[in-house]
Amino acid sequence: MAHLWDTPHHDGSATYVSDLTPDLGDEVSVFLRVPRASGVTQALLRSSIDGEQVLVETTVDRETDQEIWLRGDLVVENPVVSYRWLLDGVPHGYQWLNQAGAFQRDVTDAEDFRISTYAPPPAWAADAVLYQVFPDRFDKSVDRPAPDWAVPQAWDDPVVGSGPETPLQYYGGDLDGVRAHLDHIASLGANTVYLTPFFPARSNHRYDASTFDRVDPLLGGDSALARLADDVHRRGMRLMGDLTTNHCGDAHDWFQRALADATSPEAGYFVFTRHPDDYVCWFGYRSLPKFDHRDAGLRAALYEGPTSTVARWLGPSGLDGWRIDVANMTGRLGATDLNHEVATAIRATMAAADPDSLLLAEHSHDASHDLAGDGWHGVMNYAGFARPLWQWLKPPEEIRFEPGPFTPLPSFPGTAMVDTMRAFSAAQPWRATAHALNLVGSHDVPRIATFLGDDALVTVAFGLLASMPGIPMLWAGDEIGQKGTNGEDGRRPFPWHDTSQWDDRRLATTRALFGARADHAALRHGGLRWVNVAAGAVTFLREAPEGRVLVHAARSAHDVVRLPAAAFGRELVGIAGTEDVRADADGTLTLPDDGPRFSMWQPA
């Protein structure tokens, strides 16, 4: 067990950085919390300007009985300035503190803290909770004839979890069906509806778009999207779309024109090795031809300028942002890597069309090299949140090594989970961590209720989703305990007409947890300070100028965690159903040692 409350701390939140959105040339003050028990008596602030390091003195900003706050000042002379702290207080009198922790050795700049002058994400994103909807399976307002590609299903028919029929099963959910349940979505604390693709296609998932010019008539067409957007916005909520910039479907009108005429402008949108028979496609699926972002015509049609696909769907009766599908592969092929250029161009187009729009990207592993600050606002946080959380909570089982795009999921202790989370967060700016799309489930992975198989562990997962830095995403149906052994099986229709299939306790717990997030600024805007880390339980503080919240998550019964009341207050007031904790006569706070359990308190 490692207790960390008496170690120096800094992060990129407003508690520790005087200006989160500086302009080039501004002076920014950064603050270091130094517990007196740490033994640290000296600190220098090391920054890198124009490629050269400089170390400057720090001064005492304020003091309490328990800690000293040091201040360092730096001028933001480059678009992104990295910095870290050089401290004494260890046997050799030399340690570095960066985003990954404290090290009694020299470290690289890769995990430094960073201050960015790039335009920040929209202000609403810091308070966002996304609710992911797979339109075909959410609800339908009317019965429509099935298209020619589809295998029509009744709403209660079972989903085929694997095999050739999985993309062809058609249940008929539509956008007016989403609109009918905005009350339910809002009741969860979610304030942003995220739709998987709504363009016409020849599959139920619609990632094989046949055009970007209109909304699929099976979903109600353009007018249904406008109705949904208007109702969402009337409630003060937001609406996100899903766009494939890596590929389209082979029925897409651009690709059909490219096939028909090798001299057509659209032929340059794709990578043909021999026209028309051989072309590059996503993971070898010939139904998903890959875009060639070297082509100016493609860029103009898809994401550059006010008439592009990206721009045209933004606005008051449209979207407030995009999630970019397969963003990690977009613009990358062999020796060509235009991913950063694509990201910055999409961002520029969105900023011009709607300065208040949000740009998120799909990514399943290390995205740090794509998060400089001028492209994606954040990425889906499979690597830095979901995987380490799954690895901590999942039951132990034999690990099988199999070739393919996905690595196995071992069972790891809480120490490994925290080390992994810190490592991925340290590799990117705090702003990217604060706007990462955190998730415990999605339409691409097994349902969390099935994966963990223990309701109490699911509550721990939901608790961490509601309390960690980032933008939480709820996958429609997880809040009622829907099941699914894989991503396809997890896309079961939402049983609106049969609430006997609902897990009412899961629903109530979800509402309580995300209601607490809405009520506490620290859970939305605060930094992250790890307090205690052990195999079976982890404890951390979310801190903001408006207050702080102590979080304790346990996967099992564990060694008792005791905290000094002098540092945390003599009383911890429970949040979201957690019981209060009071210090004993010795001034010690004793946290619950049973598990699985999730607890949150507001220190008095």
Side-chain angles (χ1 to χ4, degrees):
M1 179 182 295
H3 74 265
L4 303 172
W5 63 80
D6 58 0
T7 59
H9 179 75
H10 175 84
D11 59 49
S13 68
T15 301
Y16 298 92
V17 180
S18 66
D19 187 351
L20 301 183
T21 59
D23 294 322
L24 203 63
D26 285 354
E27 184 174 84
V28 176
S29 297
V30 292
F31 302 92
L32 179 69
R33 179 197 299 267
V34 182
R36 294 184 186 275
S38 69
V40 170
T41 61
Q42 297 183 76
L44 296 175
L45 177 64
R46 185 266 194 192
S47 61
S48 179
I49 304 292
D50 298 333
E52 184 57 77
Q53 76 166 353
V54 59
L55 291 99
V56 299
E57 278 192 273
T58 60
T59 58
V60 175
D61 185 76
R62 58 194 185 275
E63 298 184 58
T64 70
D65 291 341
Q66 300 297 316
E67 57 198 18
I68 301 170
W69 286 75
L70 300 178
R71 189 190 81 225
D73 301 317
L74 52 85
V75 177
V76 187
E77 298 184 40
N78 302 131
V80 178
V81 172
S82 66
Y83 64 97
R84 60 180 181 262
W85 306 86
L86 180 60
L87 316 174
D88 67 351
V90 291
H92 298 291
Y94 184 98
Q95 61 176 323
W96 288 107
L97 179 69
N98 61 16
Q99 290 195 101
F103 299 90
Q104 297 179 44
R105 56 170 172 78
D106 283 335
V107 295
T108 70
D109 295 354
E111 295 175 328
D112 277 3
F113 303 100
R114 299 174 187 85
I115 291 176
S116 174
T117 63
Y118 292 119
W124 63 266
D127 298 311
V129 175
L130 268 63
Y131 186 82
Q132 184 191 26
V133 173
F134 191 88
D136 183 60
R137 309 293 164 81
F138 193 61
D139 198 9
K140 61 180 176 179
S141 61
V142 297
D143 288 320
R144 294 183 174 90
D148 59 1
W149 54 262
V151 178
Q153 307 288 312
W155 200 254
D156 292 325
D157 287 347
V159 166
V160 177
S162 61
E165 282 192 1
T166 54
L168 305 180
Q169 284 187 292
Y170 171 74
Y171 288 83
D174 56 29
L175 298 185
D176 284 318
V178 178
R179 190 164 64 95
H181 298 289
L182 293 179
D183 282 345
H184 171 82
I185 294 171
S187 77
L188 304 171
N191 52 27
T192 304
V193 179
Y194 156 44
L195 304 170
T196 58
F198 51 70
F199 299 115
R202 296 185 62 79
S203 69
N204 52 45
H205 55 71
R206 296 184 170 88
Y207 285 102
D208 57 331
S210 57
T211 183
F212 295 131
D213 291 340
R214 62 186 181 275
V215 175
D216 195 334
L218 296 173
L219 295 176
D222 293 7
S223 61
L225 180 66
R227 287 191 297 273
L228 175 60
D230 288 344
D231 277 8
V232 164
H233 294 148
R234 194 175 296 117
R235 293 166 174 264
M237 299 169 70
R238 307 281 176 164
L239 185 64
M240 296 276 294
D242 198 334
L243 180 65
T244 54
T245 57
N246 179 73
H247 58 262
C248 63
D250 60 356
H252 198 287
D253 43 18
W254 295 347
F255 189 64
Q256 289 300 307
R257 288 195 287 271
L259 288 178
D261 184 358
T263 65
S264 67
E266 290 81 4
Y269 293 10
F270 304 93
V271 184
F272 285 95
T273 51
R274 187 180 69 249
H275 188 277
D277 300 319
D278 291 334
Y279 50 87
V280 177
C281 44
W282 182 72
F283 276 110
Y285 292 102
R286 288 183 59 81
S287 62
L288 301 174
K290 185 177 174 71
F291 288 131
D292 188 345
H293 290 270
R294 295 173 299 180
D295 188 89
L298 170 72
R299 297 196 303 270
L302 192 55
Y303 55 82
E304 286 184 348
T307 61
S308 66
T309 297
V310 162
R312 67 164 294 185
W313 294 103
L314 298 174
S317 291
L319 305 177
D320 299 285
W322 287 107
R323 176 264 198 187
I324 302 300
D325 180 60
V326 197
N328 55 303
M329 297 178 71
T330 292
R332 289 181 168 133
L333 181 64
T336 299
D337 189 347
L338 299 175
N339 187 270
H340 183 243
E341 289 82 352
V342 175
T344 56
I346 294 174
R347 172 114 163 237
T349 294
M350 291 175 64
D354 179 3
D356 213 25
S357 56
L358 178 65
L359 176 59
L360 300 175
E362 183 186 25
H363 211 296
S364 62
H365 43 281
D366 181 7
S368 58
H369 51 288
D370 294 336
L371 290 168
D374 54 347
W376 322 122
H377 287 131
V379 302
M380 297 185 78
N381 204 9
Y382 283 105
F385 179 81
R387 275 183 59 88
L389 181 146
W390 293 336
Q391 290 167 339
W392 182 48
L393 295 179
K394 73 182 294 285
E397 61 182 358
E398 181 182 354
I399 300 302
R400 292 179 297 178
F401 288 75
E402 298 176 344
F406 303 111
T407 50
L409 281 171
S411 178
F412 280 154
T415 48
M417 176 184 73
V418 172
D419 285 346
T420 302
M421 288 180 170
R422 294 189 74 170
F424 278 97
S425 180
Q428 63 194 25
W430 171 261
R431 184 183 287 176
T433 296
H435 293 87
L437 191 60
N438 289 343
L439 65 157
V440 299
S442 78
H443 70 296
D444 285 328
V445 299
R447 287 281 184 177
I448 189 68
T450 300
F451 180 70
L452 295 181
D454 181 328
D455 186 65
L457 287 173
V458 176
T459 296
V460 176
F462 269 68
L464 290 172
L465 181 64
S467 62
M468 290 285 284
I471 300 173
M473 185 188 84
L474 293 166
W475 162 217
D478 276 350
E479 77 274 19
I480 60 167
Q482 278 194 279
K483 303 296 195 298
T485 57
N486 59 29
E488 295 285 355
D489 186 38
R491 302 175 189 179
R492 301 178 189 182
F494 202 112
W496 295 107
H497 62 292
D498 184 6
T499 55
S500 68
Q501 297 184 41
W502 295 27
D503 183 336
D504 292 333
R505 287 190 301 174
R506 170 65 46 230
L507 181 59
T509 301
T510 303
R511 286 171 171 159
L513 290 170
F514 286 91
R517 185 179 178 93
D519 289 341
H520 293 272
L523 294 177
R524 305 190 312 276
H525 307 157
L528 174 64
R529 179 155 62 110
W530 293 101
V531 170
N532 202 86
V533 177
V538 299
T539 311
F540 58 89
L541 270 171
R542 299 295 312 280
E543 299 171 302
E546 302 90 338
R548 56 183 185 162
V549 173
L550 180 70
V551 178
H552 180 68
R555 74 175 181 185
S556 59
H558 54 87
D559 291 342
V560 66
V561 175
R562 295 184 174 90
L563 304 177
F568 295 90
R570 293 197 60 84
E571 183 176 4
L572 303 177
V573 180
I575 297 171
T578 302
E579 296 180 356
D580 297 350
V581 172
R582 291 177 175 82
D584 61 21
D586 295 331
T588 300
L589 296 161
T590 302
L591 303 188
D593 62 356
D594 60 328
R597 172 194 279 262
F598 181 81
S599 307
M600 287 193 291
W601 301 273
Q602 184 173 359

